[in-house]
Amino acid sequence: MDEYREKRKRLVERLRDEFGLSDDVVKAMIEVPRHLFVPPHYRGEAYNDYPLPIGHGQTISAPHMVAIMCNLLDLKRGMRVLEIGTGTGYHAAVVSRIVGDEGLVVTVERIAELAERAREVYQTLGYRNIRVVVGDGSRGYEEEAPYDRIYVTASAPKIPDKLLFQLKPGGKLLIPVGDFIQYLYIVEKDEYGQITKKNWGAVRFVPLVGEEGFED
Ligand code: SAM
């Protein structure tokens, strides 16, 4: 048992009560040690519910945002999931616990140093169902497509077509869209390939930078 476990459990139980999290999300968030993903000098703040700087002008999202997104994704064991924006690797770690070893999480990060740090933490924790790719995730990741679920942890100017193509029929995509004012969209592709979009509400993310994102 790690020294932060009680603090983590208290935070996750509070989030469960506030947002009605599923048992799978609660279990995964209690299991994943967020303090090992944040920069060492922020460890003491890892179980406070706010974003933290992670270097390169980027942030790790607040725990409630990770919880809400995991809940909205309605993840199941064995699913193949694509994350755009690895950052520290924490969010993908939570998703990986829910999809289990029969599932796969592919996470794409444009900043090589962040990707490398995330890989090291996964190795330390023995998480083997996560593949970290360095590149421009605004184009998705064709090599492992199609995906049951795709989610983006940076805000895009519009929903990238390539992400829609790489989503399975029956799949879900979560993506923040906008510049100063951003909204989180829940996009669903039905069995016939028909797309529907729902606006979940206002959010605040760093920009998605790339071919189908914002300019650097
Ligand atoms: N999910 C992360 C975590 O748990 O720490 C937080 C992600 S942070 C809010 C957004 C990340 O998206 C940053 O690390 C940023 O470098 C990355 N990013 C921005 N544009 C990208 C792109 N086109 N492809 C891949 N990653 C991108």
Side-chain angles (χ1 to χ4, degrees), residues 54 58-61 83-92 108-111 114 135-138 153-154 205-210:
I54 60 173
Q58 306 302 321
T59 53
I60 176 173
S61 307
E83 177 192 68
I84 309 303
T86 311
T88 62
Y90 169 72
H91 196 158
V108 185
E109 172 57 55
R110 61 185 281 272
I111 300 170
L114 292 177
D136 175 9
S138 73
T153 67
F205 281 87
V206 295
L208 182 77
V209 175

